[in-house]
Amino acid sequence: MQDPFGRNISYLRVSVTDRCDLRCVYCIAEDMTFLPRREVLTIEELDRLCGAFIRMGVRKLRLTGGEPLVRREIMTLIRSLSAHLKTGALSELTLTTNGTQLAKYADGLAAAGIRRVNVSLDSLRPDTFKSITRWGKLENVLDGVMAAKAAGIKVKINAVALKGVNDGEVHDLVDWCGGNGFDLSFIEVMPMGDIGGERRMEQYYPLSELRTELQRRWTLKDTDYRTGGPASYVDCVETGQRIGFITPMTHNFCESCNRVRVTCTGQLFMCLGQEDSGDLRAAIRESEGDARLEAAIAEAISRKPRGHDFILDRRSSNVSVTRHMSVTGG
Ligand code: SAM
């Protein structure tokens, strides 16, 4: 699958639900209205959709949300998709999770061939964690992360950098991840979705500043390690772990973009930062065979834009893309 700019599309991220058991302040409004069930793809439809992408050349598949592990029957989908790992069609099946349900699912995930998970965790302090997630319990996430580690799943921690919120614990995060063998990526807050009272510009903590802060205590060595994604990486000499910086606001990473995203309603977004999309749900629901679905995917990929266009506009709105990250999936 090649897009008009010659980029090979081999990485699919699928949001399996818009629902989440947390309400992170930068991501989702507290009183978020979730989609009616009939609009959301069933587990069978999600399986069919992923199967079509895999036939068309997707090699890496990431399930996200909302929170993927609050979706009912999620293990049915994961077990079915893991069959593509066994045939070699997929090289990796993974997920991005907030970790609250990991203690329950870690063993099942490992048995299904999940080798790595990304866990979103912005703070190691119970009070700060609660204030970011509005009602999350840090303890549940830490139990989940440790269960994944015990099950032999490699954990990467993703932390959104928030000025005045978790900027005082960046060293603790490096230390804790280093001690546990977890890679760590920091993410700049992105202007997605209208999240009500929270002021995005006030939360924005440039990772250039964060990196300078880290260098006060740690030796960071540049590496050319890349995943084709938006992160640049350094090796932390003292801990031996990799630290990633995901900087959509300050760097352009679109030239190497190999990914597309599907929402839980079957909308295919060719770029996280643009509004254009393709409707795959109609192709799935109105046709029994997959020819129409594959044609809809190919047509949408032919419209993948060159790059995204996030703008943090100080004068008017704080939002340049109106849908929430919980819709497109992170
Ligand atoms: N519930 C799962 C989780 O917590 O990882 C998957 C979905 S969540 C939307 C995926 C990632 O997007 C999380 O790491 C979250 O912190 C990040 N995220 C959400 N809104 C964001 C924003 N406005 N800017 C940057 N990252 C954001």
Side-chain angles (χ1 to χ4, degrees), residues 100-275:
T100 60
Q101 314 292 315
L102 259 184
K104 179 169 149 197
Y105 286 115
D107 288 339
L109 292 171
I114 305 274
R115 297 280 163 264
R116 296 193 311 146
V117 291
N118 286 2
V119 178
S120 305
L121 176 59
D122 303 334
S123 174
L124 294 168
R125 297 178 187 164
D127 290 352
T128 309
F129 182 81
K130 187 168 213 119
S131 72
I132 295 170
T133 59
R134 290 203 180 93
W135 58 53
K137 264 191 159 171
L138 176 64
E139 209 182 300
N140 293 344
V141 178
L142 297 183
D143 287 350
V145 166
M146 293 310 164
K149 182 180 170 184
I153 298 174
K154 204 163 161 25
V155 174
K156 191 182 99 176
I157 300 294
N158 282 334
V160 174
L162 299 163
K163 194 173 230 153
V165 181
N166 64 358
D167 48 355
E169 53 178 311
V170 292
H171 299 293
D172 294 348
L173 279 162
V174 171
D175 203 19
W176 180 75
C177 286
N180 282 293
F182 306 148
D183 283 339
L184 167 66
S185 281
F186 291 102
I187 310 177
E188 266 174 6
V189 73
M190 287 184 269
M192 300 202 55
D194 182 359
I195 46 163
E198 301 300 327
R199 304 259 331 159
R200 203 99 46 179
M201 281 311 297
E202 286 163 16
Q203 295 172 347
Y204 181 54
Y205 180 29
L207 294 192
S208 49
E209 277 179 36
L210 189 150
R211 188 176 165 153
T212 306
E213 176 56 36
L214 288 184
Q215 280 166 329
R216 289 175 200 274
R217 176 155 158 204
W218 311 95
T219 316
L220 306 182
K221 275 203 166 156
D222 282 326
T223 142
D224 50 14
Y225 175 82
R226 301 286 307 176
T227 58
S232 64
Y233 294 90
V234 295
D235 289 325
C236 180
V237 173
E238 290 82 356
T239 67
Q241 293 309 125
R242 197 174 281 140
I243 301 178
F245 300 96
I246 304 180
T247 54
M249 305 299 300
T250 49
H251 287 98
N252 213 320
F253 50 81
C254 302
E255 316 78 60
S256 60
C257 182
N258 60 354
R259 61 193 60 192
V260 290
R261 297 170 156 84
V262 180
T263 68
C264 62
T265 59
Q267 244 187 317
L268 171 59
F269 282 96
M270 290 74 82
C271 172
L272 182 63
Q274 301 272 3
E275 301 285 0

